[in-house]
């Protein structure tokens, strides 16, 4: 007795064409940056980006991405963003995947006409990548040394 082949759960919805995949993945990469890429840009002094910590000042002081600006999403509006350079790309982050502060900050900035990306995984993934953390109220600077563990992606 032969048994029918089980139906594929993966293929229950047809896979996209290569062109569709390319377009989708390019769009996805347009919205997000990962911690490793942000760290590399900060190490290399790329001044086209500004990293924004969207959490409270107290959380920022406990630990933040070196060079990040403390700008809680709850305080973002037309008046508080008037001083920002519209030629920059703003990369927002928060605690991690259980927090949507970076999404709220990116939304508010985009709604006000700023170009934004969201850092995937927030400070949690930053730390998991072995990146340094600055403490206190000052921005700090990104050290030139890379973590001993290289990014695996």
């Amino acid at each position: 007795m032969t048994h029918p082949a089980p139906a594929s759960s993966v293929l229950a919805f047809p896979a996209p064409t290569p062109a569709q995949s390319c377009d989708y993945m390019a769009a996805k990469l347009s919205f997000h940056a990962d911690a490793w890429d942000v760290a590399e840009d900060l190490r290399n002094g790329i001044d086209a980006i500004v990293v924004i910590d969207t959490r409270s000042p107290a959380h920022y002081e406990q630990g933040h991405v070196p060079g990040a600006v403390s700008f809680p999403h709850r305080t973002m509006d037309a008046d508080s963003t008037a001083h920002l350079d519209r030629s920059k790309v703003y990369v927002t982050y928060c605690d991690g995947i259980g927090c949507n502060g970076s999404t709220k900050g990116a939304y508010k900035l985009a709604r006000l006409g700023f170009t934004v990306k969201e850092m995937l995984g927030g400070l949690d993934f930053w730390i998991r990548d072995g990146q340094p953390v600055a403490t206190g109220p000052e921005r700090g600077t990104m050290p030139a040394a890379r973590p001993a563990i290289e990014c695996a992606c």
Side-chain angles (χ1 to χ4, degrees), residues 5 10 18 22 33 47 51 71 90 95 102-103 129 144:
V10 171
C22 185
D47 67 354
V51 180
F71 194 177
Y90 293 89
D95 282 329
S102 60
T103 304
D129 275 356

Side-chain angles (χ1 to χ4, degrees), residues 44-117:
N44 292 321
I46 304 299
D47 67 354
I49 68 165
V50 176
V51 180
I52 303 278
D53 185 316
T54 63
R55 303 171 304 149
S56 72
H59 281 97
Y60 178 87
E61 287 187 26
Q62 289 174 2
H64 59 270
V65 170
V69 175
S70 176
F71 194 177
H73 71 86
R74 295 181 193 283
T75 66
M76 292 177 181
D77 60 28
D79 291 334
S80 67
T81 60
H83 70 284
L84 297 179
D85 183 346
R86 291 184 180 275
S87 71
K88 306 284 185 182
V89 173
Y90 293 89
V91 181
T92 62
Y93 77 90
C94 56
D95 282 329
I97 61 172
C99 176
N100 66 4
S102 60
T103 304
K104 289 177 179 178
Y107 170 78
K108 289 177 180 181
L109 291 172
R111 192 166 180 211
L112 292 165
F114 294 94
T115 304
V116 297
K117 285 191 171 206

Side-chain angles (χ1 to χ4, degrees), residues 35 122-131 133:
L123 192 61
D124 180 39
F125 282 22
W126 179 269
I127 292 168
R128 286 184 192 196
D129 275 356
Q131 302 298 345
V133 174

Side-chain angles (χ1 to χ4, degrees), residues 7-15:
S8 171
S9 295
V10 171
L11 300 177
F13 295 92

